[in-house]
């Protein structure tokens, strides 16, 4: 597989903090690669360095095996879609899209052909003479993408381009963007703080925090096998439960939570007895009133504090019996649990394979 | 319902009239009336008998006497040149202040730029004269470091006059440019750069089109002020600096020919309106939009 | 409560009266040349009479334009040159006749008084009394331009780049005399006058490259002479003598063709508000001690009869040094300027200024 983008040990330091700290990754041709992280994690800085809008302090950025050091943005084979899209308000749609082609000095006829072809591709055929302010949010989105794609860049960089859209449109654009990427086959590097965008669209996702890549993996692996507590917390919903290790044999860990429950978790890590740990439980990992017959479940009783109805994403907010700990439990909407009411006392169980255990980090 | 709405409407109109009246009165008494007076005066002239009669001779004099219309054309051309130079100098300046420099120093730099304008134009011009005269500071300095063998006169040249006029006008260009550039989203510049534009095409395709309303409004002000300036061309231009305002002054004051002076005044008004109109047309701007 | 409401209007009324009181304290609006109403004289006058003097500095042309614009209002006393009163008065009627009974004529040198009265008479009434006199001639840096003696040296290539004069009518007149003409004789014949002025103008245009600057501000000229930027200038004798005090190389030179003699006068604008104060100022300034104080600072002689004995010796020396009898007799005194000449001169001067 050909490598379109290779970032090696890139570091960028500002006066008082390190924005990007020794980051390395590679993106293969035609992949949809996302960098997911909270705001201020350094992902935008990283993207701007790839685009050439700022220079790394150390490390190397290669695009299609060419070192990009010292090459200004206008001569890099990458294009960036800005968070606010940065469409030129003084030009119409066609002029916006033709801007880059004009700069390359392409002929008028060629430009005209390319512009109508790309507009057709993003389903905006016939929009050439529309003014930017006449377009809807989604249309602007597509013009911004078309403006970059028409230049056939090696890598298309996207800086949270869906951030400004409303929820419904965002859901729709997620799917469209994924389809478009598959259609044109351009390598996308996409940064976002919205885990759902990253998970839905990407082939690979890197989770970034405080300038460092925490984990780089497929969306499924990120969700199911987070390798750091940060990833466990940040990707998808998770219940964190503080406790201490009773015993650990390299395969099973026995944990006593701070409020007195004892659970068994599978883990290939080994822990010292008495070591403080965080136990992570996904809401959907917990079963409500599990069948008596299922063996090897960690079972405990909870009091229902409230029902959070949200369609397919409905949950129960519960307190384990006689504690103040709050847990979220998925509430499948298959009518099986319609009887659950507030203040009910119910039993909850989870398999020891579905819990995750990390050493507690000092915060 | 209908009647009360109408009454309200009428109240509103009276209110509007009440507040507009002073403005209209001011416009009429101080602008329109004197101009009508001047216009009438410009069409009156003394005949051979010494009586005042209606006549076009004031305007005829202007076209028949090359000194007058040459000065007129020269003044207009130099004003356009000054406007253009002022723009060329202040655009990078405004860009630097709004986009390059750390925001903390923006206000400070702007104030630094405006500081010279707290003193009167006369003082500023004399400042330049002290610097540039033959026995002035610049000559002294150049002699000291051995760049010159003998002092040269830097005053009383067209270039010096243009320099003075540009300096005097800068404020009126830099303020609208700063405000219009502040509204330019940085990401537009970065996007253009990213899409393959070099510095020049960013300047001509993004910055200048965005800044056009500010450029046009600044240019109108600078042009009109330069065209109507009397002090700077007179003091810094020295012996060759005939500016059209000076001829108006001469007609009114030295020759006691108010009628001729009025005609000149009107001709100046005509050319300034004409060039402003031309500028607006060429830049496809509307006056109403520009002066906002 | 009631008292309070009464109090406020009363207070305002009091303020109003007091305010008006200060405003209506007698003032004298004086339209004059710079240096003519020195601070010392103004202070002395105010102490003596309680009248506040508001001074506006100007020159002949602007004085006339200002008074013409207001038809003789806004000022209580003006000081035009005697040759610029008659025709202006005939045309624009901006002055009022002088009431000689209110002027202390005993203080005034009779010959000057008579000359001025004659030259400013319109409709049988005199419109001005003399104040001071002086001449226009050359101010020369004798070390750098030892041979400059006449107006023609203002067009002498030898002084290339070191020449300064005003683009005003005295320059035209002086240069015409230097050409051997008598422009005053042609005052009554506008055609001949125009032809002469065109010749003068052409000569000025030809010699324009030698000119350093056309000065407009007396202080600026003095500065340029002091710094050695200008060696030969046409200026007033007073200015030259001021420089002589600082640097004996620079002095006034009465031109061979004759210095141009002028007399500045007192004239009362037609709509003067405080005529009494104007007469008071006239009589005050022409008092020998005060006139001498003026001469000592500005170097111009006055029409005051007894002032000679109060003059500084250096000022007397100026006259002795620069005006031996042969030059005194050669002074060309300006006759009244007829109307229309200004327009002719104005056009010539515009042409000179515009020439390359």
């Amino acid at each position: 597989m050909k490598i379109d983008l290779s970032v090696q040990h890139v570091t960028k330091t500002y006066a008082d903090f390190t924005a990007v700290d020794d980051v390395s990754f590679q993106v293969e041709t035609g992949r949809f690669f996302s960098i997911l992280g909270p705001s201020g994690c350094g992902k935008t800085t990283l993207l701007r360095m790839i685009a050439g809008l700022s220079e790394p302090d150390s490390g190397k950025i290669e695009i299609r095996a060419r070192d990009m050091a010292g090459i200004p943005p206008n001569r890099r084979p990458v294009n960036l879609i800005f968070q606010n899209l940065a469409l030129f308000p003084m030009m119409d749609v066609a002029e916006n899209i033709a801007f880059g082609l004009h700069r390359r000095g392409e002929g008028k006829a060629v430009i005209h052909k390319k512009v109508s072809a790309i507009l057709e591709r993003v389903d905006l055929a016939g929009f050439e003479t529309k003014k930017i302010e006449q377009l809807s949010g989604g249309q602007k989105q597509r013009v911004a993408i078309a403006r970059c794609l028409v230049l056939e860049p090696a890598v298309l960089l996207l800086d949270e381009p869906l951030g400004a859209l409303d929820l419904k449109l965002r859901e729709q654009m997620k799917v469209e963007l994924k389809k478009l990427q598959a259609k044109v086959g351009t390598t996308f590097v996409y940064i976002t703080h919205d885990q759902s965008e990253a998970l839905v669209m990407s082939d690979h996702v890197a989770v970034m925090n405080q300038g460092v890549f925490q984990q780089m993996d497929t969306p499924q692996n990120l969700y199911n096998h987070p390798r750091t507590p940060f990833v466990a917390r940040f990707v998808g919903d998770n219940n964190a439960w503080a406790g201490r290790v009773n015993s650990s044999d390299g395969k099973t860990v026995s944990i006593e939570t701070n409020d007195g429950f004892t659970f068994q978790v599978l883990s290939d890590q080994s822990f010292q007895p008495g070591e403080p740990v965080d136990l992570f439980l996904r809401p959907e990992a917990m079963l409500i009133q599990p069948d008596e017959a299922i063996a090897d479940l960690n079972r405990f009783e909870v009091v229902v504090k409230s029902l959070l109805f949200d369609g397919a994403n409905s949950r129960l907010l519960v307190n384990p019996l006689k504690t103040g700990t709050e847990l979220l439990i998925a509430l499948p909407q298959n009518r099986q649990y319609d009887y659950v009411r507030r203040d009910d006392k119910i039993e909850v169980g989870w398999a020891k394979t579905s819990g995750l255990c990390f050493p507690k980090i000092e915060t | 319902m209908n009647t009360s709405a109408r009454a309200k409407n009428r109240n509103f109109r009276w209110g509007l009239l009440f507040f507009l009246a002073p403005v209209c009165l001011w416009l009429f008494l101080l602008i329109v009336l004197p101009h009508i007076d001047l216009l009438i005066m410009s069409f009156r002239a003394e005949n051979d008998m010494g009586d005042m009669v209606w006549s076009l001779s004031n305007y005829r004099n202007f076209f028949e006497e090359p000194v007058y219309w040459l000065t007129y054309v020269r003044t207009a051309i130099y004003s356009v040149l000054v406007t253009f130079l002022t723009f060329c100098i202040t655009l990078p300046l405004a860009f630097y202040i709004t986009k390059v420099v750390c925001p903390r120093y923006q206000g400070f730099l702007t104030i630094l730029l405006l500081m010279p304008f707290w003193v009167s134009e006369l003082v500023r011009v004399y400042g330049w004269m002290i610097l540039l005269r033959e026995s002035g500071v610049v000559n002294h300095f150049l002699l000291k470091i051995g760049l010159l063998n003998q002092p040269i006169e830097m005053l009383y040249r067209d270039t010096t006059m243009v320099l003075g006029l540009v300096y005097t006008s800068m404020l009126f260009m830099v303020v609208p440019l700063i405000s219009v550039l502040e509204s330019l989203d940085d990401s537009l510049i970065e996007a253009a750069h990213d899409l393959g534009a070099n510095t020049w095409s960013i300047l001509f395709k993004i910055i200048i089109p965005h800044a056009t309303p500010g450029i046009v409004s600044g240019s109108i002000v600078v042009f009109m002020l330069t065209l109507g300036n009397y002090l700077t061309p007179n003091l810094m231009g020295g012996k060759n600096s005939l500016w059209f305002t000076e001829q108006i002054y001469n007609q009114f004051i030295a020759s006691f020919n108010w009628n001729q002076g009025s005609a000149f005044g009107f001709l100046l008004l005509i050319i300034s309106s004409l060039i402003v109109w031309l500028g607006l047309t060429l830049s496809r701007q509307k006056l109403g939009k520009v002066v906002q | 409560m009631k008292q309070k409401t009464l109090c406020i209007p009363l207070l305002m009324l009091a303020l109003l009266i007091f305010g008006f009181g200060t405003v209506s304290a007698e003032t004298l609006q004086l339209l004059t040349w710079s240096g003519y109403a020195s601070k010392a004289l103004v202070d002395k006058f105010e102490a003596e009479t309680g009248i506040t003097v508001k001074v506006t500095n100007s020159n002949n042309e602007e004085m006339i334009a200002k008074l013409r614009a207001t038809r003789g209002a806004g000022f209580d006393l003006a000081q035009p040159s005697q040759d610029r009163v008659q025709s202006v008065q005939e045309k624009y009627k901006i002055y009022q006749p002088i009431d000689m009974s209110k002027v202390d004529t005993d203080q005034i040198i009779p010959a000057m008084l008579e000359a001025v009265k004659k030259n400013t008479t319109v409709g049988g009434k005199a419109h001005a009394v003399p104040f001071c006199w002086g001449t226009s001639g050359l101010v020369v840096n004798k070390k750098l331009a030892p041979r400059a003696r006449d107006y023609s040296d203002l067009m002498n290539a030898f002084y290339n780049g070191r020449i300064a004069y005003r683009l005003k009518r005295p320059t035209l007149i002086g240069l015409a005399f230097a050409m051997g003409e008598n422009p005053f004789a042609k005052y009554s014949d506008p055609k001949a006058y125009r032809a002469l002025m065109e010749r003068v103008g052409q000569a000025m245009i030809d010699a324009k490259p030698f000119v350093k600057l056309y000065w407009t501000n007396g202080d600026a000229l003095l500065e340029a002479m002091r710094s050695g930027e200008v060696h030969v200038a046409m200026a007033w004798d007073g200015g030259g003598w001021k420089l002589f005090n600082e640097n004996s190389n620079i002095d006034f030179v009465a031109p061979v063709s004759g210095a141009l003699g002028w007399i500045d006068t007192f004239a009362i604008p037609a709509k003067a508000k405080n005529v009494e104060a104007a007469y008071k100022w006239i009589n005050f300034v022409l008092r020998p001690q005060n006139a001498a104080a003026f001469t000592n600072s500005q170097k111009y002689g006055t029409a005051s009869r007894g002032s000679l004995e109060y003059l500084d010796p250096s000022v007397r020396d100026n006259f002795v040094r620069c005006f031996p009898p042969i030059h005194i007799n050669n002074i060309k005194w300006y006759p009244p300027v007829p109307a229309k000449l200004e327009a002719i001169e104005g056009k010539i001067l515009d042409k000179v200024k515009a020439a390359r």
Side-chain angles (χ1 to χ4, degrees), chain B residues 101-211:
Chain B
V101 88
C102 151
R104 237 183 317 161
Y105 298 120
Q106 261 177 31
F108 172 71
L109 280 179
T110 315
I111 287 174
L112 213 63
L113 207 63
L114 304 190
M115 204 112 85
F117 295 89
W118 288 347
V119 300
S120 82
E121 190 187 353
L122 189 69
V123 176
R124 262 177 287 140
V125 170
Y126 272 112
W128 276 111
M129 294 180 77
I130 289 168
L131 281 181
L132 296 178
R133 65 186 303 165
E134 199 180 338
S135 55
V137 178
V138 172
N139 265 309
H140 183 78
F141 181 72
L142 290 178
L143 283 172
K144 202 110 201 184
I145 61 168
L147 268 177
L148 287 180
N149 298 325
Q150 64 182 63
I152 50 167
E153 180 59 272
M154 299 181 200
L155 280 177
Y156 316 132
R157 292 161 190 262
D158 282 358
T159 33
T160 327
M161 182 183 77
V162 168
L163 173 109
L165 286 169
V166 167
Y167 180 72
T168 304
S169 318
M170 260 169 57
L171 169 77
F172 303 98
M173 186 68 95
V174 91
V175 168
L177 280 187
I178 283 179
S179 83
V180 83
L181 285 182
E182 250 164 13
S183 73
L184 174 62
D185 189 346
D186 291 4
S187 67
L188 289 189
I189 296 170
E190 286 179 346
H193 203 187
D194 181 70
L195 289 169
N198 56 23
T199 312
W200 289 109
S201 40
I202 290 176
L203 179 67
F204 287 111
K205 296 287 171 189
I206 307 295
I207 297 174
I208 290 183
H210 174 88

Side-chain angles (χ1 to χ4, degrees), chain A residues 245-267:
Chain A
V245 173
N246 276 340
S247 64
S248 154
D249 60 2
K251 254 194 344 214
T252 313
V253 187
S254 167
I255 294 168
E256 188 181 337
T257 65
N258 289 352
D259 35 23
F261 295 91
T262 306
F263 299 122
Q264 310 293 318
V265 187
L266 286 185
S267 171

Side-chain angles (χ1 to χ4, degrees), chain A residues 48 51 53 72-76 78-82 84-91 96 99-101 103-104 147-148 151, chain B residues 183-212:
Chain A
R48 289 172 62 85
L53 295 169
N74 52 338
R75 284 197 255 121
R76 292 193 182 197
V78 295
N79 289 113
L80 174 60
I81 293 177
F82 287 76
N84 62 357
L85 305 179
L87 294 175
F88 306 133
M90 56 292 245
M91 306 177 194
N96 260 283
F99 184 86
L101 297 172
R103 302 286 83 72
R104 282 186 188 167
R147 188 172 71 172
C148 291
L151 298 174
Chain B
S183 73
L184 174 62
D185 189 346
D186 291 4
S187 67
L188 289 189
I189 296 170
E190 286 179 346
H193 203 187
D194 181 70
L195 289 169
N198 56 23
T199 312
W200 289 109
S201 40
I202 290 176
L203 179 67
F204 287 111
K205 296 287 171 189
I206 307 295
I207 297 174
I208 290 183
H210 174 88
T212 307

Side-chain angles (χ1 to χ4, degrees), chain B residues 55-123:
Chain B
S55 160
L56 284 173
S57 66
N58 295 320
Y59 291 93
R60 205 177 329 117
N61 276 347
F62 170 80
F63 289 106
E64 281 172 358
E65 183 54 73
V67 170
Y68 295 147
W69 61 260
L70 278 177
T71 312
Y72 184 71
V73 171
R74 186 183 122 95
T75 307
I77 290 173
Y78 268 91
S79 298
V80 172
L81 180 76
V82 165
T83 309
F84 179 71
L85 287 178
T86 311
F87 165 69
C88 290
I89 291 171
T90 48
L91 183 70
L93 217 68
F95 187 80
Y96 181 79
I97 287 177
T98 49
K99 299 292 173 202
V100 180
V101 88
C102 151
R104 237 183 317 161
Y105 298 120
Q106 261 177 31
F108 172 71
L109 280 179
T110 315
I111 287 174
L112 213 63
L113 207 63
L114 304 190
M115 204 112 85
F117 295 89
W118 288 347
V119 300
S120 82
E121 190 187 353
L122 189 69
V123 176

Side-chain angles (χ1 to χ4, degrees), chain C residues 15 104 128 138 172 192 235 247 267 269 276 290 330 344:
Chain C
L15 268 173
D104 191 354
L138 299 177
L172 295 172
N247 176 354
E276 290 312 310
N290 297 337
N330 199 21
I344 296 171

